[in-house]
Amino acid sequence: ESKRKGRSTYTYYDTGLNSTSERRFNLEQRLPKAIAEDELVLHFQPKVNLSDFRIVGFEALVRWQHPELGLVYPDDFIPLAEETGLIVELGEWVARSCCRQQAAWQAEGLDCVALAINMSPLQLQREELPSRIESLLTEHDVPADVIEIEITETVLLKSLEATVMVLRRLEALGVQISLDDFGSGFSSLSYVRTLPIHIIKIDKQFIRDIRNSTHDGVLVASIISLAHNLGMQVIAEGVETLEQLIYLKTAGCDQAQGYYFSRPVPAASARDLLRNGVLAPS
Ligand code: C2E
Ligand code: MG
Ligand code: MG
Ligand code: MG
């Protein structure tokens, strides 16, 4: 009994941010300030067209440059932002930053490629989202077709009607919509067809073990042909090896994204990649 007391007293003096709950508490408390004071930063990961290996776009992935904890990854704070509702403000910051980035690249005369923004279900339930996006586009003089939105199947779980309406209005603006992490959720491609989706993004868990005649290989090839038959494009995420790349290209996959080509990189490095234009396999 006394030993246990002693231990908990010791824990009391351990004021570092080592424990999961302390870290979580710190992140949650500080997040509003982080958004307001620009501690967030976007990294960009190229999407490559598999017919000519040209960069056709980038996915914007948010990171938090935390003054004490260093670079914090989204899995550690996006769920907190979703629980507290701060995701709306955070999402606005991401959308504005992407428009600003597009404007800067266009001013430099770089090729115009799409920037993809990840959106949480809560953002997509908000009626004002399309008009917010529209005014950001106008403000930065950026055409809608260079902005893409990535949604996940979890949007099907809540407020389906409101979400479909928001997506249709975004589509009407000219924004591309892709379905992220496809296959990791619960729904079939035909069910997902109730959403205005232009691009299917196959979840990285299915890419890991693809090879001829493996279970995942067959599954991925089927998703690709089904998506094509439904008039959608397909991108594979999490491509790490040449073998995976060759399999995907042979199976008719349109685009790929993953460490094989490039990790998500800061804006300056993304600009250099874009300047080169091609990420040919070696
Ligand atoms: P996601 O949208 O599915 O993004 C793909 C994740 O896989 C990213 O992790 C990316 O860095 C990682 N990845 C890319 N290529 C490879 C690869 O070849 N191998 C492996 N193992 N991983 C790869 P990240 O950046 O940590 O982001 C995690 C998740 O956080 C994202 O998953 C997305 O759901 C969410 N997220 C990121 N940025 C935002 C944002 O601005 N808003 C919202 N709402 N969510 C975001
Ligand atoms: Mg994504
Ligand atoms: Mg994904
Ligand atoms: Mg994911």
Side-chain angles (χ1 to χ4, degrees):
E1 174 60 75
S2 71
K3 215 176 186 178
R4 261 167 68 186
K5 228 180 183 171
R7 244 187 225 157
S8 70
T9 308
Y10 178 77
T11 310
Y12 179 78
Y13 288 109
D14 181 12
T15 53
L17 293 170
N18 300 315
S19 86
T20 312
S21 58
E22 275 173 87
R23 184 182 160 90
R24 201 190 137 94
F25 182 76
N26 177 289
L27 293 177
E28 189 171 331
Q29 292 300 299
R30 203 185 159 90
L31 188 54
K33 200 169 138 80
I35 300 170
E37 295 183 6
D38 260 354
E39 286 178 9
L40 302 181
V41 62
L42 291 181
H43 282 184
F44 301 91
Q45 188 180 35
K47 298 184 178 189
V48 176
N49 188 328
L50 291 186
S51 63
D52 56 8
F53 300 104
R54 292 200 71 81
I55 295 173
V56 288
F58 290 91
E59 177 175 9
L61 294 154
V62 69
R63 279 92 180 83
W64 180 355
Q65 198 75 64
H66 192 289
E68 293 142 44
L69 298 170
L71 200 63
V72 181
Y73 285 81
D75 287 339
D76 276 357
F77 62 91
I78 291 291
L80 298 177
E82 286 174 337
E83 282 165 32
T84 55
L86 266 175
I87 192 69
V88 173
E89 221 178 303
L90 191 155
E92 172 100 11
W93 181 90
V94 172
R96 170 173 291 109
S97 304
C98 282
C99 288
R100 195 184 288 146
Q101 190 60 72
Q102 276 292 11
W105 283 343
Q106 278 172 38
E108 257 196 77
L110 290 162
D111 277 352
C112 213
V113 298
L115 274 188
I117 302 172
N118 290 283
M119 291 255 173
S120 298
L122 190 66
Q123 295 175 265
L124 293 158
Q125 284 165 31
R126 291 170 61 90
E127 237 181 80
E128 59 270 43
L129 180 72
S131 61
R132 285 302 306 140
I133 297 288
E134 191 176 19
S135 41
L136 285 173
L137 291 169
T138 311
E139 192 184 314
H140 293 89
D141 197 17
V142 169
D145 63 358
V146 295
I147 293 297
E148 190 178 307
I149 279 170
E150 296 193 4
I151 66 171
T152 61
E153 289 164 273
T154 52
V155 299
L156 291 167
L157 294 172
K158 263 197 203 162
S159 319
L160 183 58
E161 267 172 53
T163 301
V164 169
M165 213 156 72
V166 165
L167 290 175
R168 293 220 177 278
R169 286 173 53 211
L170 287 168
E171 182 183 42
L173 288 178
V175 171
Q176 292 278 312
I177 300 165
S178 33
L179 186 62
D180 205 351
D181 302 342
F182 183 78
S184 65
F186 57 92
S187 53
S188 73
L189 197 44
S190 63
Y191 180 43
V192 151
R193 196 93 224 283
T194 56
L195 301 171
I197 300 292
H198 310 110
I199 303 157
I200 292 283
K201 199 165 183 184
I202 304 176
D203 193 74
K204 53 178 172 288
Q205 74 180 98
F206 300 107
I207 305 304
R208 207 180 313 125
D209 297 321
I210 46 168
R211 266 184 307 275
N212 285 320
S213 76
T214 62
H215 183 266
D216 286 347
V218 173
L219 195 69
V220 165
S222 313
I223 294 173
I224 293 169
S225 60
L226 188 56
H228 283 164
N229 287 334
L230 293 169
M232 303 175 196
Q233 298 259 100
V234 185
I235 179 166
E237 70 171 16
V239 177
E240 295 184 356
T241 68
L242 181 60
E243 192 186 16
Q244 292 165 342
L245 180 65
I246 290 169
Y247 183 90
L248 289 162
K249 189 169 157 63
T250 309
C253 191
D254 303 290
Q255 299 169 18
Q257 184 184 347
Y259 297 166
Y260 179 78
F261 291 113
S262 168
R263 290 189 173 253
V265 293
S269 309
R271 192 246 278 116
D272 293 342
L273 291 176
L274 188 55
R275 223 184 230 151
N276 270 334
V278 177
L279 274 169
S282 48

